Amino acid sequence: TEKGSRKRRAKEMPSGASAEYTESRKEVTATFRYMQTLKLLLLDKIHAHYLEALARLPGDVLRKCHHSSLLRAGYCYGPMDPVSNIILNTIWYATTCPTQSDFEVAMICTKALRRIECCSLYGLVAFLRALFNTLTEHDAVWYLLVSNIDAASAIAMAEQHGHVMSGACQEAYSSAALNSWHPDTKALSKLTMSLLQMEL
């Protein structure tokens, strides 16, 4: 068994090495748990944005057609605030790739919503790390948490802490789309870049 093999490995090591190995394992476990806690806190914030976006979308349209596009491509990253990004990405995907099925839902399952929220988290972290190659995963998660998932604020914080932007926005959005398993990464990247140009 795994427990038995661990005991055998511990016996084979010199006593000093065994203590060092145990200590390093404790550090790795503590770091992993700390990161998991930060990600769960970030997911809670992302979930709150999704609930707000659901409240803003017209109920009848959401039940008839937008529920599908929300769960497939309604990510919270993009050129605007998280709630606006969710609504924009949902409506854009529903327009670009309309679903063939014609059925109405009474509610959206929390488990299904959690999936798109996790994908958004992966996308946001990938976006920041593509912009700043010196950022660790911890840094990206921390800046997103403190900024309440506002990408512009997270970027400003990273720059204040001495990180220099090394990537282009288009590459960062492509990385976000790829890491969040967006169904059409090229189209999303094209949309966000056109919106950024309009803003400029």
Side-chain angles (χ1 to χ4, degrees):
T1 62
E2 193 185 336
K3 200 173 181 181
S5 64
R6 269 188 284 166
K7 280 183 179 178
R8 278 195 300 277
R9 279 201 304 271
K11 280 180 184 176
E12 287 166 11
M13 287 186 216
S15 59
S18 176
E20 198 176 299
Y21 172 76
T22 307
E23 195 60 39
S24 69
R25 271 191 64 103
K26 281 180 184 174
E27 282 176 27
V28 168
T29 306
T31 305
F32 173 77
R33 285 184 182 155
Y34 171 67
M35 272 303 292
Q36 287 301 99
T37 304
L38 285 183
K39 284 179 182 176
L40 287 171
L41 288 169
L42 191 56
L43 277 172
D44 281 346
K45 283 184 178 283
I46 291 171
H47 183 65
H49 289 310
Y50 273 88
L51 293 179
E52 191 180 335
L54 285 169
R56 286 192 192 180
L57 284 163
D60 55 336
V61 181
L62 179 63
R63 285 191 297 273
K64 284 177 186 172
C65 60
H66 285 348
H67 62 275
S68 179
S69 56
L70 171 78
L71 296 175
R72 284 184 186 174
Y75 298 101
C76 71
Y77 57 80
M80 296 181 283
D81 64 276
V83 176
S84 299
N85 287 329
I86 294 164
I87 294 167
L88 171 74
N89 287 327
T90 298
I91 294 169
W92 167 77
Y93 191 74
T95 309
T96 311
C97 306
T99 52
Q100 299 301 314
S101 57
D102 186 25
F103 67 95
E104 193 172 326
V105 296
M107 56 176 265
I108 293 175
C109 173
T110 308
K111 194 180 275 188
L113 199 59
R114 186 59 86 177
R115 182 200 161 274
I116 193 73
E117 289 165 1
C118 286
C119 289
S120 282
L121 185 148
Y122 300 141
L124 283 162
V125 170
F127 173 76
L128 281 182
R129 294 191 73 190
L131 282 179
F132 301 94
N133 60 14
T134 52
L135 280 188
T136 63
E137 185 188 22
H138 169 268
D139 293 333
V141 169
W142 178 253
Y143 291 139
L144 288 165
L145 190 63
V146 174
S147 67
N148 197 28
I149 336 287
D150 184 88
S153 299
I155 289 166
M157 275 185 222
E159 287 177 329
Q160 282 169 9
H161 289 116
H163 297 281
V164 179
M165 205 181 283
S166 54
C169 273
Q170 188 164 2
E171 290 166 12
Y173 279 117
S174 295
S175 180
L178 195 68
N179 281 276
S180 60
W181 299 289
H182 192 280
D184 194 340
T185 55
K186 286 180 181 175
L188 179 73
S189 181
K190 195 176 175 182
L191 170 76
T192 48
M193 290 315 295
S194 65
L195 286 169
L196 283 169
Q197 283 166 9
M198 281 167 66
E199 205 173 289
L200 288 168

